[in-house]
Each structure stands twice: as structure tokens, then as C-alpha cells.
Amino acid sequence: MKLTLILPSVGKIEGEKYIRAWQMEPLPLAQLAALTPDDVTISFFDDRMESIDYDHPADLVAISVETYTARRAYQIASEFRRRGIPIVMGGFHASLCPDEVSDYADAVVVGEAEGVWEDVIADFKNGQLKERYQKAINFGEYDIIPDRSIYEGKNYLKITLLEAGRGCKFRCEFCSIHNVFQQRHTHRKITSIVNEIRKLKNPKRLLFFVDDNICSDKEYAKELFRALVPLNIKWVGQADITMVRDEELMVIMRKSGCQGILIGMESLDKEVLKKMNKAFNASRLSPAEAIKKIHSFGLRLYLTFLFGYGNDSPEYAEKVLRFCIDNKIFMVGFNHLTPFPGTELYNTLEAENRLLFEKWWLSEDYRYGMIPFETPQDKTMIEEQSKYLRKSFYSLRSILYRMSNWINIKGWMMLNIYFIINLMLRKDTGQRMRFPLGDPNQTIICRKSKV
Ligand code: SF4
């Protein structure tokens, strides 16, 4: 049996080959490859960086779908459908909108692939592919070592992605993680993570734990970090700011080789944080105090801010910019609010009749970077503001100034990464803004009707 795995891009720019040349390894597909029985021959196309050969021999095509890539995924599925090749889809969007995804796939995997993917393959071989595969989330320990051989020949960023668990205990209004993981976590066996790292081809590369919130379960996190200490690795990950309340955690985190952490700061306004259901961000220490403390443990910071919640005057934007530069943050994401399906935010906007598109992620009229809902504020102003903030934060002057935080540039590896990432983001600011999702030249064939 021949299986083709596909990771769709967000979209294509007319006249240009790809939207972005630098890409991270797609870990979920390497995990899927690991779950696939040995007698299946796997091919893999990463639509973000190469052309898909639709005529490559395949018995079954598996496409991983995220909300931003849904339109493109359905276009790709349509091309294979024209050739009579069945499609199975999974990924986070398939869990958020299984009925929609069903319209474009012969089978949909809802939730985690572990425990059902083997059935998909067996059923396909027996000519009995079902329309939907779903199993309750396994909140016990799981064990999966990704098959990274699918990355061979592709020029990904030299950062190794791995996973210790999924889910997060919080319930931020705009976040869809808790829809699937019910404010709980799944954990990988720590021995399995250690074994995986020991067997990596390039263990000296920077490792990136892609967990939604690696410190969500602090006791598990401590146990994991203790096990990482002897491995002498360097890693980064994502967490929430409450990690600063636990000094023991911070110490062991640093000892385990943590170089930096992504934290969703979202807003400097307590009222806005409350609206987001993220008041815990400012509940004990002020943002500046929390940052100082994290820096004092030698950890770099990647902060993200969200605009579009109501307090987005030009003065507030300047305040955020100054805050990020003055606190010499390693890198910052300035994003505006996007309602993802299944989130409380989406449901509220829908109930208030404020959504501008029935499904913005499928609309031909939606453009990347647009605010797809009615807000009392000037939408163009908010969109332009994020662009302005990125441009200013990644100006050469700011990049050089933020180097005066010695933590940002300590050690050759992180000094290199500081320059590479900051200069790449400087080049990338606004690059994708206003581009349509999907390929404007490709059509979508729904399983039931044409759209
Ligand atoms: S802390 Fe982060 S991962 Fe957790 S619910 Fe909030 S936004 Fe989502």
C-alpha cells in the first residue's frame, strides 16, 4: 500500500512560488508516519516548500488540516479526488469542525491519531474505510517517537521539534486547545522522551518542545526537567506566566537546558485580560516584574500580544512597543484577534451577529491579516497597528538595543539564533498580509456538491 502525507500551506501568492522559504519541521506528520505499519510505503509533500506531485503513485492520501490551511487542504483534496484517490483528513481543524472536513474527505480522524490510525489503515486495506474515526482523548501516558525520515531532503530550520504532552489547564476565551483537551493534559512517558533525545541524529541542535503549555502540570514538568538535566541539551518551549510563581520549577527548568520560553502576554491592560479569561497573567506580579524574574533565571522570552479586544488606541500600541523594547525581549509576536471555530470568542461573536464571513477560513474574500468580525474600533487601524509594531520592534535599532540584555546573546548558539530570527522576522513583517488563503487558481470540489 502507498500512502501520501500532505501538509498544506496557508496559501500561494499569485506569480510567486511560495509564501515563506523558512519552515519548521511538521512534527504531527512525523508522528503519523511513526504510527503507520511498516508494510506501507510513505511519501510526503510539504506544500509550504515544494510542489505537490498529484500524479505520484498513491492508494490513499492523508492531509493534516489547520484552520488557516483548510481552504488549501480542500483544494489539494480536490486535485486528488479528480484522480480518484481517496482522502483522509486529520489535524486540529478536523477536531474543531469535523462535519465541515467530512465534506471534503472520505474519512476524518477527530482528536488524536493514536489508537485510531492503525484502524484507518487496516480498514482501507480491507475496503471498509469509515467516514469518521474518533476515540476519547487518552489522559493516561502515551508513547510515540516520531519518524523523522519523512523530513529527509527538505530544508527545514535547524531546530528539532518534539513533544512531551498536549493540552492546557486554562480556558482563555480565544484559544481552542481546551475544546479538544477539556482543560486537561496528556503526558508522554518521560523515559520515552529521554530515549528519543538520546537517539536524535543532531542532539546538539536547539530542541523545541511544541507542547501547548509545558508548565501546565508543574509536577510533571519538574519530573521531566529533572530527567533532561543529564542529557546536556538546549531547548525552548511554550508556557504560561504562572511558572514564575514556582522557583523550584524555574531552577530545574534552567538546569535542564531551557534557553527561552514563549509566553502569551496578550495585553498590558488588566480589564482586557479579564475579558480574555486570562486574568492570571497579571494576578501576582506585574508583567515587568515577571519578565525581570524570568530573565534573572537566564531564560530568554518570546512574548505574544493580542490586539482587537477594545483598548487599541495608538497610545496603547506605543506603550506595548516601549514595554517590549525597554524590557529587551528576545522576540515578540504582535497579533490581532482571530476567532477560531469552536472557541468561546467565536461563539460569542456569532451569537452577537458580528462575524463578517460565514466561515472566514473558507471565504474567497477573506485576506490573511484581516479582522473577520465587527468591532467598534477601526479595523484597518488595528491591522495597520500590528504591522507598524512588527516593523518598529524588528528595526535594526531595536535589534541592536535589545542585544544589551546579555541573556539574549549569551552563548554562540543563541547569539546566532537571535540574529537569524530577528532578521528573518524583520524581513517577514507583513509579508503574508492581505494574501488570500489557498491558491486563487485552484477550485474546491466538495464531496457532495461544488463550491
Ligand atoms: S494559556 Fe495558552 S494554551 Fe492555555 S488556554 Fe490560554 S492561550 Fe490556550
Side-chain angles (χ1 to χ4, degrees):
M1 175 186 163
K2 295 183 185 71
L3 170 72
T4 295
L5 305 178
I6 305 274
L7 184 74
S9 63
V10 169
K12 304 260 172 196
I13 304 171
E14 189 113 47
E16 280 184 36
K17 216 170 164 197
Y18 305 109
I19 279 177
R20 199 188 242 173
W22 52 281
Q23 300 292 353
M24 295 252 196
E25 297 168 346
L27 184 65
L29 286 168
Q31 291 174 326
L32 200 64
L35 294 172
T36 305
D38 291 343
D39 62 341
V40 176
T41 308
I42 300 177
S43 309
F44 168 49
F45 293 103
D46 189 332
D47 182 49
R48 302 172 304 168
M49 57 201 306
E50 62 190 339
S51 299
I52 297 170
D53 179 359
Y54 292 102
D55 296 316
H56 185 80
D59 300 308
L60 180 69
V61 169
I63 306 179
S64 176
V65 194
E66 302 303 318
T67 303
Y68 267 118
T69 61
R71 192 172 155 76
R72 177 76 187 134
Y74 303 155
Q75 290 175 335
I76 294 168
S78 304
E79 283 301 317
F80 284 110
R81 185 174 307 289
R82 282 194 188 96
R83 289 159 175 81
I85 302 169
I87 312 286
V88 52
M89 289 194 195
F92 214 70
H93 190 71
S95 298
L96 297 176
C97 302
D99 294 338
E100 173 196 301
V101 175
S102 283
D103 284 345
Y104 306 94
D106 299 276
V108 180
V109 174
V110 181
E112 299 175 305
E114 291 93 339
V116 295
W117 184 243
E118 300 81 347
D119 297 343
V120 174
I121 299 291
D123 288 353
F124 176 76
K125 283 179 178 169
N126 296 328
Q128 291 176 334
L129 197 61
K130 297 185 189 76
E131 287 204 359
R132 196 165 294 190
Y133 291 84
Q134 182 166 14
K135 202 178 116 262
I137 300 286
N138 167 23
F139 289 109
E141 282 188 323
Y142 68 100
D143 184 8
I144 180 171
I145 297 191
D147 175 0
R148 294 188 170 83
S149 64
I150 65 161
Y151 303 155
E152 273 162 27
K154 303 194 193 328
N155 196 16
Y156 292 117
L157 281 178
K158 309 238 173 295
I159 296 175
T160 300
L161 273 61
L162 72 168
E163 180 184 79
R166 302 167 190 157
C168 171
K169 67 181 173 191
F170 293 110
R171 197 182 177 89
C172 302
E173 195 206 24
F174 54 83
C175 180
S176 50
I177 303 292
H178 54 82
N179 282 61
V180 176
F181 293 100
Q182 305 144 38
Q183 289 185 264
R184 296 175 68 190
H185 332 251
T186 67
H187 295 313
R188 251 183 87 189
K189 280 185 189 151
I190 291 178
T191 47
S192 163
I193 300 167
V194 169
N195 282 340
E196 180 185 342
I197 295 172
R198 285 214 169 102
K199 287 186 189 146
L200 283 174
K201 266 195 198 162
N202 295 301
K204 291 291 157 206
R205 268 189 190 176
L206 186 65
L207 308 182
F208 174 20
F209 280 100
V210 298
D211 302 42
D212 306 304
N213 182 351
I214 200 162
C215 294
S216 184
D217 177 343
K218 294 193 173 56
E219 292 318 307
Y220 171 84
K222 284 179 200 170
E223 209 185 311
L224 169 68
F225 300 157
R226 272 186 211 108
L228 297 182
V229 174
L231 302 180
N232 200 16
I233 54 169
K234 289 188 167 59
W235 65 271
V236 291
Q238 315 183 97
D240 72 88
I241 206 158
T242 63
M243 72 180 203
V244 296
R245 298 176 191 168
D246 190 330
E247 295 225 351
E248 187 194 358
L249 176 78
M250 301 283 290
V251 169
I252 193 77
M253 202 166 168
R254 180 65 189 139
K255 267 196 193 157
S256 70
C258 182
Q259 302 297 306
I261 208 87
L262 183 156
I263 291 179
M265 189 62 89
E266 322 304 3
S267 178
L268 297 177
D269 182 326
K270 280 191 177 182
E271 287 310 307
V272 173
L273 287 172
K274 258 192 223 163
K275 270 198 220 167
M276 293 174 172
N277 204 18
K278 203 159 186 174
F280 59 84
N281 258 11
S283 59
R284 294 208 193 153
L285 298 178
S286 72
E289 286 166 337
I291 286 168
K292 205 169 159 199
K293 194 158 177 195
I294 294 170
H295 279 157
S296 76
F297 282 91
L299 302 181
R300 297 153 188 91
L301 276 167
Y302 172 10
L303 298 184
T304 55
F305 283 87
L306 258 185
F307 294 83
Y309 250 102
N311 183 16
D312 301 313
S313 62
E315 295 74 32
Y316 172 70
E318 280 303 326
K319 183 178 165 184
V320 172
L321 180 64
R322 278 269 50 93
F323 175 87
C324 295
I325 295 178
D326 290 349
N327 285 290
K328 299 170 188 164
I329 307 298
F330 190 87
M331 64 195 270
V332 178
F334 302 100
N335 308 310
H336 61 66
L337 198 56
T338 303
F340 285 94
T343 57
E344 281 157 45
L345 172 71
Y346 189 92
N347 297 341
T348 305
L349 292 171
E350 193 174 39
E352 291 173 358
N353 233 347
R354 288 170 59 199
L355 293 172
L356 295 176
F357 303 92
E358 198 192 328
K359 291 180 175 186
W360 58 264
W361 56 95
L362 294 186
S363 170
E364 276 181 21
D365 299 323
Y366 176 79
R367 293 289 177 273
Y368 191 87
M370 256 170 109
I371 296 182
F373 60 92
E374 277 306 345
T375 155
Q377 290 189 289
D378 180 346
K379 286 197 284 297
T380 317
M381 188 270 288
I382 302 172
E383 288 160 13
E384 288 302 315
Q385 219 165 48
S386 311
K387 228 157 99 182
Y388 160 76
L389 289 168
R390 283 183 211 123
K391 227 174 151 176
S392 309
F393 185 77
Y394 293 106
S395 68
L396 281 180
R397 196 188 161 109
S398 159
I399 294 174
L400 292 173
Y401 177 72
R402 288 180 285 114
M403 280 175 70
S404 61
N405 179 0
W406 66 272
I407 291 158
N408 284 346
I409 55 165
K410 193 174 165 228
W412 276 111
M413 179 195 260
M414 294 314 288
L415 173 67
N416 259 328
I417 290 177
Y418 179 79
F419 274 114
I420 292 169
I421 290 197
N422 274 277
L423 293 174
M424 274 193 319
L425 288 170
R426 175 181 158 75
K427 202 172 150 217
D428 201 43
T429 51
Q431 208 188 0
R432 292 194 282 180
M433 299 299 264
R434 297 276 158 206
F435 287 108
L437 301 185
D439 182 338
N441 297 319
Q442 262 183 307
T443 50
I444 299 179
I445 305 169
C446 179
R447 239 170 21 114
K448 291 157 195 160
S449 62
K450 277 195 173 203
V451 291

